[in-house]
Amino acid sequence: MAHDVEPRLLRAFVAVADELHFTRAAARLYVAQQALSRDIRRLERELGAGLFVRTTRQVALTAEGERLLPHARRVLRAQDELVAAFRGAAERPLLVDVGAPVGTAFRVLAEARERVPESCELVARFHSGLTGAAGELAAGRLDVSFGRFAGLPAGVRAELDHQPVRLEPMAVLLRDDHPLAARPAVPLAELAGETLYAGAGNAGTAEWTGLAARLFEGRGIAMAEPFPEIEGPEEFVRVVRKRGWSVLASVEFIEVPGMVLRPVVDPVPLSPVSMVWRRGLRHPGLEALRAVARELGERDGWGAPPGEAWWLPQEDARAMGRLSRTSPG
């Protein structure tokens, strides 16, 4: 076995291991697929081990590939830290829209901040809504956002890259005196006859409103009337309490005094969360965010639907790739 393994070969291996798809991995590395395949074959020769099982339908890690992956990640992280330490001028700040100071995106950001060197600044934005963020990403006024990638128009998606992060269970926010508030969880059928706020009227969260409309269809759940965009958690709390709305939410959500958050079950509706960035963006902070998202997903099972009874539109299942299978809901 060779004593020196080029980091380039390890980056090729990690990209294919993450994507489990040679075409997507090649696009991520900005290399031709043939060149990527050559690098993988060379690495396999140097290590004396097969790293992937390839068929016409799928790519999977071998046992040796699984064994190599954590070592390769550590080597590449160390190399990135070495380069950052001698880069000289600090990288420009990376602007990351996490929507709110709670939840999946904020957890990824907080963990990534612990990984990057002092010279790498990750600056949070709290605008919420991937539809609104997408234009900012394409224009270079924002670097990273999170949300439902399949809910963006095809032309917008073509300008962006994304990494599936989590199939996030949905919940409902209820007044604490609501008849359903005493339940530990709310069966989806019990929401028939209810009116839920899901961002209607806010163009910046159209992907979320569209997902809610798909969920409500045929179930007797009404969409709350359109309302102007609500900026910031404090204003959201004020408006929701004043209007007495029940709110379609995710299981990790801001606290609203006088209201309770209850998971929705039977089936569990899923909100597909991807990390999204401008195509071609290079930044050590982006790589740290991507690595943390993968590690948290593997550790906490973010890509696994909960049991057998769950709901997710087909186009979202496809966009989430290997994180999900066809929805039975």
Side-chain angles (χ1 to χ4, degrees):
M1 184 183 74
H3 293 287
D4 297 315
V5 177
E6 291 183 32
R8 177 175 60 83
L9 302 183
L10 293 178
R11 289 194 188 279
F13 164 70
V14 170
V16 178
D18 288 341
E19 304 291 345
L20 291 181
H21 194 284
F22 274 77
T23 302
R24 289 197 297 265
R28 169 174 155 181
L29 295 172
Y30 302 97
V31 300
Q33 184 176 335
Q34 295 88 342
L36 176 64
S37 297
R38 284 197 301 269
D39 282 346
I40 294 300
R41 288 195 297 269
R42 178 181 166 188
L43 181 61
E44 290 176 323
R45 286 197 303 270
E46 291 188 2
L47 296 178
L51 302 176
F52 297 100
V53 177
R54 308 166 180 85
T55 70
T56 56
R57 297 180 61 86
Q58 64 179 6
V59 175
L61 282 164
T62 64
E64 290 299 295
E66 294 279 4
R67 188 159 69 96
L68 173 63
L69 187 56
H71 297 290
R73 291 199 198 282
R74 284 197 294 271
V75 169
L76 294 176
R77 189 179 303 129
Q79 187 200 32
D80 290 342
E81 291 172 356
L82 184 152
V83 172
F86 289 89
R87 182 177 284 115
E91 292 277 356
R92 69 168 181 84
L94 192 77
L95 303 181
V96 185
D97 185 2
V98 295
V102 296
T104 300
F106 189 74
R107 288 171 61 185
V108 171
L109 175 63
E111 178 70 21
R113 281 173 167 166
E114 299 296 321
R115 306 281 189 91
V116 296
E118 283 294 319
S119 61
C120 183
E121 184 66 69
L122 305 179
V123 179
R125 293 286 187 268
F126 300 98
H127 293 302
S128 182
L130 183 58
T131 303
E136 299 295 293
L137 292 170
R141 293 187 293 268
L142 182 68
D143 296 310
V144 180
S145 189
F146 292 78
R148 182 191 172 214
F149 188 70
L152 298 176
V156 175
R157 294 198 304 270
E159 301 296 321
L160 304 172
D161 277 330
H162 84 114
Q163 175 177 315
V165 176
R166 185 179 184 184
L167 295 172
E168 193 173 63
M170 293 189 196
V172 61
L173 188 69
L174 303 164
R175 290 175 60 98
D176 56 13
D177 59 355
H178 191 286
L180 295 173
R183 303 269 193 102
V186 177
L188 184 59
E190 294 295 317
L191 292 173
E194 296 286 333
T195 298
L196 301 184
Y197 174 72
N202 179 2
T205 59
E207 80 290 342
W208 173 255
T209 305
L211 184 65
R214 294 283 297 277
L215 178 64
F216 296 171
E217 185 178 3
R219 290 184 166 92
I221 306 171
M223 181 83 68
E225 62 184 21
F227 193 85
E229 179 180 358
I230 305 171
E231 293 192 5
E234 294 84 3
E235 186 66 1
F236 178 84
V237 169
R238 185 192 70 80
V239 172
V240 166
R241 293 186 65 188
K242 179 177 180 180
R243 300 184 72 86
W245 281 333
S246 296
V247 179
L248 184 69
S250 297
V251 289
E252 296 183 39
F253 202 69
I254 59 173
E255 291 189 13
V256 180
M259 302 189 76
V260 296
L261 188 67
R262 296 290 182 259
V264 179
V265 296
D266 301 328
V268 176
L270 299 173
S271 170
V273 179
S274 286
M275 185 166 69
V276 184
W277 62 94
R278 184 172 56 261
R279 183 156 290 178
L281 176 65
R282 299 290 187 91
H283 195 286
L286 174 61
E287 293 309 310
L289 288 165
R290 296 189 68 185
V292 166
R294 284 192 297 269
E295 292 171 22
L296 290 179
E298 291 168 3
R299 187 193 71 195
D300 296 339
W302 281 356
E308 293 300 319
W310 50 276
W311 175 92
L312 184 70
Q314 296 289 333
E315 64 268 26
D316 292 285
R318 288 192 293 269
M320 297 299 279
R322 66 188 178 95
L323 274 185
S324 67
R325 53 186 168 82
T326 303
S327 168

